[in-house]
Amino acid sequence: MLEFYSGKMSDFQSMFDYFNRFQSLSPASQEAIVNICSSVKIPKNKDLQSIGHTCKTIYFVQNGLARIYYYKDGNDITESFAFENSLIARVESLFTGKPSKKGIQVLEDAEFIGIPSTSLFELYDLHHDIERLFRKIFEAAYVDTVNRIESLQFHSAEERYRSLLLESPSILKRVPLKHISSYLGITQVSLSRIRAQI
Amino acid sequence: MLEFYSGKMSDFQSMFDYFNRFQSLSPASQEAIVNICSSVKIPKNKDLQSIGHTCKTIYFVQNGLARIYYYKDGNDITESFAFENSLIARVESLFTGKPSKKGIQVLEDAEFIGIPSTSLFELYDLHHDIERLFRKIFEAAYVDTVNRIESLQFHSAEERYRSLLLESPSILKRVPLKHISSYLGITQVSLSRIRAQI
DNA sequence: CTGATTTTTTAACATTTGTAAAAGGATTGC
DNA sequence: GCAATCCTTTTACAAATGTTAAAAAATCAG
């Protein structure tokens, strides 16, 4: 049993390192999380979660890269990216229980740890530190989102592009520009013009 | 003591009604919250919280109306509005502990219930249901913010204006258009043009 | 390697939004 | 009530971004 879990724990070490930055967990809580998690490998360009289904799993990106996307008037819009060592979930579905009109697509061959939300929320009753951990994680995500509103509300497209490059210098090498442009709230053509100016 | 708290409870009834929509609270937890809260009355146009200070209080709006604002290149930008029976706080400061570059201004004579965040966070250790309540409140606020990003990312200014009127039909009577325009991410002039077309 | 496909850029033109200034309305304080 | 101030609209012009189409560049599959 020890070996079994120590094996799993080493698979999941990067996730627990990430968790520990928010909230330390008791060994029992860590074990409880390990017991509900599973690994998922998805190749490039495949969907990890498809549009129309209700979000029932939170994923930790072990390596690779994914995006949340949806269609607006037939156009493919990227809502957000998730690089390795971060969480990804369609929260507007996760927290409302309604089907999501968004999907998660893998942009580089990727490995995820899937955390089933129903099981996780049950653990909240048994392990206070797990509820606290995810409270803090989503508070931080909330703050990021508020800051992004500010960016979309009153920064020019060029300012937003420059900021993105500062935040994620590797993004140009890893993500097609068409996804970057919709993430910034502009067209591909417009982004191409901005890049030509710089 | 009973009378004292029942008096306070009736003052705070609207807030607990609001809380109960997210999570029911034990009597002990309700009393604990009442004990840290205080009432604040602020007249129109005054600041409830000023720019530059760290957010240490979450407010419940009992009546009246307020907005979170900041300056970008000397222009006054409205980040959000809070009507009666809702919470308002500068979360990017509340959750990071950093000074906020945003302020809270009262747009109609208003009464607030102030919940000091340090005391509240201490209650999280004593009353699990209080932590759970605020977890759920901020999860819901997070979902609203994600939806607002979608609106800013790919709805036209006219679409955003029409949506706002649907969500808050009374807003035109209660909020100057200059604040509505910056909330929508456009100039006053642009909003005026959109209104002229309709 | 090569043809097919996808991605990115460029061009021309249309539309939206911003900027600055002025005028008209509404509100406020004395 | 009146002057002062603030809010909203209008106008004219400038700048940014969208739309469509086509060409160029990069990537992919066999």
Side-chain angles (χ1 to χ4, degrees):
Chain A
M1 167 124 159
L2 233 183
E3 261 175 52
F4 177 70
Y5 284 118
S6 67
K8 275 221 173 185
M9 278 301 278
S10 71
D11 286 351
F12 294 173
Q13 195 53 54
S14 59
M15 183 172 76
F16 284 109
D17 288 346
Y18 174 84
F19 287 168
N20 267 304
R21 296 212 306 270
F22 292 94
Q23 170 72 40
S24 66
L25 292 173
S26 71
S29 295
Q30 294 192 32
E31 189 177 316
I33 290 176
V34 166
N35 278 327
I36 64 170
C37 286
S38 53
S39 285
V40 194
K41 276 196 191 191
I42 306 276
K44 180 171 176 172
N45 291 330
K46 293 286 180 194
D47 273 14
L48 170 64
Q49 294 272 283
S50 53
I51 290 176
H53 291 119
T54 302
C55 178
K56 294 283 188 196
T57 314
I58 299 166
Y59 293 97
F60 178 79
V61 186
Q62 288 192 295
N63 48 63
L65 169 57
R67 70 182 181 116
I68 296 180
Y69 72 99
Y70 62 97
Y71 291 97
K72 150 95 180 167
D73 301 337
N75 297 312
D76 175 321
I77 309 295
T78 295
E79 178 184 282
S80 59
F81 300 104
F83 294 85
E84 51 280 318
N85 293 311
S86 66
L87 290 179
I88 184 167
R90 296 163 300 165
V91 292
E92 97 291 350
S93 173
L94 179 71
F95 290 136
T96 63
K98 294 179 188 161
S100 180
K101 54 178 192 174
K102 298 165 188 170
I104 300 180
Q105 185 190 32
V106 169
L107 298 178
E108 288 174 358
D109 293 357
E111 285 180 287
F112 301 91
I113 299 170
I115 311 171
S117 58
T118 307
S119 307
L120 178 69
F121 297 160
E122 282 165 13
L123 291 185
Y124 285 2
D125 290 325
L126 303 171
H127 301 274
H128 193 172
D129 55 351
I130 295 180
E131 178 166 10
R132 180 160 289 186
L133 167 67
F134 280 88
R135 168 174 69 74
K136 290 181 179 176
I137 285 173
F138 286 116
E139 283 173 358
Y142 179 24
V143 169
D144 287 345
T145 311
V146 167
N147 289 333
R148 187 155 167 228
I149 286 203
E150 195 185 313
S151 157
L152 284 168
Q153 204 176 0
F154 268 95
H155 292 12
S156 70
E158 183 177 333
E159 285 176 299
R160 301 200 297 273
Y161 177 65
R162 287 181 186 275
S163 300
L164 180 64
L165 294 192
L166 285 179
E167 280 165 35
S168 308
S170 69
I171 200 168
L172 282 184
K173 290 172 197 140
R174 301 178 66 184
V175 177
L177 288 170
K178 61 177 181 174
H179 295 147
I180 293 177
S181 61
S182 69
Y183 174 78
L184 294 174
I186 56 179
T187 59
Q188 282 184 67
V189 175
S190 200
L191 178 58
S192 212
R193 264 189 298 237
I194 287 167
R195 286 162 51 79
Q197 277 177 7
I198 297 178
Chain B
M1 168 123 158
L2 233 182
E3 262 174 51
F4 176 71
Y5 284 119
S6 67
K8 275 220 170 186
M9 277 302 278
S10 70
D11 287 350
F12 294 173
Q13 194 55 52
S14 58
M15 183 173 76
F16 283 108
D17 288 347
Y18 173 84
F19 287 168
N20 267 304
R21 297 212 306 270
F22 292 94
Q23 170 72 38
S24 66
L25 292 175
S26 72
S29 294
Q30 294 193 31
E31 189 177 315
I33 289 176
V34 166
N35 278 326
I36 63 169
C37 287
S38 53
S39 285
V40 194
K41 277 196 187 189
I42 306 275
K44 180 172 176 174
N45 291 330
K46 292 286 179 193
D47 274 14
L48 170 63
Q49 294 272 282
S50 52
I51 292 176
H53 291 119
T54 302
C55 179
K56 294 284 188 193
T57 314
I58 299 167
Y59 293 96
F60 178 78
V61 186
Q62 288 193 293
N63 48 64
L65 170 57
R67 71 182 180 113
I68 296 179
Y69 72 98
Y70 61 96
Y71 291 98
K72 150 93 179 168
D73 300 339
N75 297 311
D76 175 322
I77 309 296
T78 295
E79 178 184 283
S80 59
F81 300 105
F83 294 85
E84 50 280 319
N85 292 312
S86 66
L87 291 179
I88 184 168
R90 295 163 300 165
V91 292
E92 98 290 351
S93 173
L94 179 72
F95 289 137
T96 63
K98 293 179 189 162
S100 180
K101 55 178 191 173
K102 297 167 187 167
I104 301 181
Q105 185 192 33
V106 169
L107 298 178
E108 286 174 359
D109 292 357
E111 286 180 287
F112 301 91
I113 300 169
I115 310 169
S117 59
T118 307
S119 307
L120 178 69
F121 296 161
E122 281 167 13
L123 291 184
Y124 285 3
D125 290 325
L126 303 171
H127 301 274
H128 193 174
D129 54 355
I130 295 179
E131 178 165 12
R132 180 160 289 185
L133 167 68
F134 281 88
R135 169 175 68 76
K136 289 181 180 176
I137 284 174
F138 286 115
E139 283 174 359
Y142 179 24
V143 169
D144 288 344
T145 309
V146 168
N147 289 333
R148 185 153 169 231
I149 286 205
E150 195 184 315
S151 155
L152 284 168
Q153 204 176 359
F154 268 95
H155 291 13
S156 70
E158 182 176 334
E159 285 176 299
R160 300 199 300 271
Y161 178 65
R162 287 181 187 277
S163 302
L164 179 64
L165 295 191
L166 286 177
E167 281 165 34
S168 308
S170 70
I171 200 168
L172 283 185
K173 291 171 196 140
R174 301 178 67 184
V175 177
L177 288 170
K178 62 176 180 173
H179 295 148
I180 294 177
S181 61
S182 70
Y183 174 78
L184 294 173
I186 57 179
T187 60
Q188 283 184 65
V189 175
S190 200
L191 177 58
S192 212
R193 264 187 300 237
I194 288 168
R195 285 162 52 81
Q197 278 177 6
I198 296 179

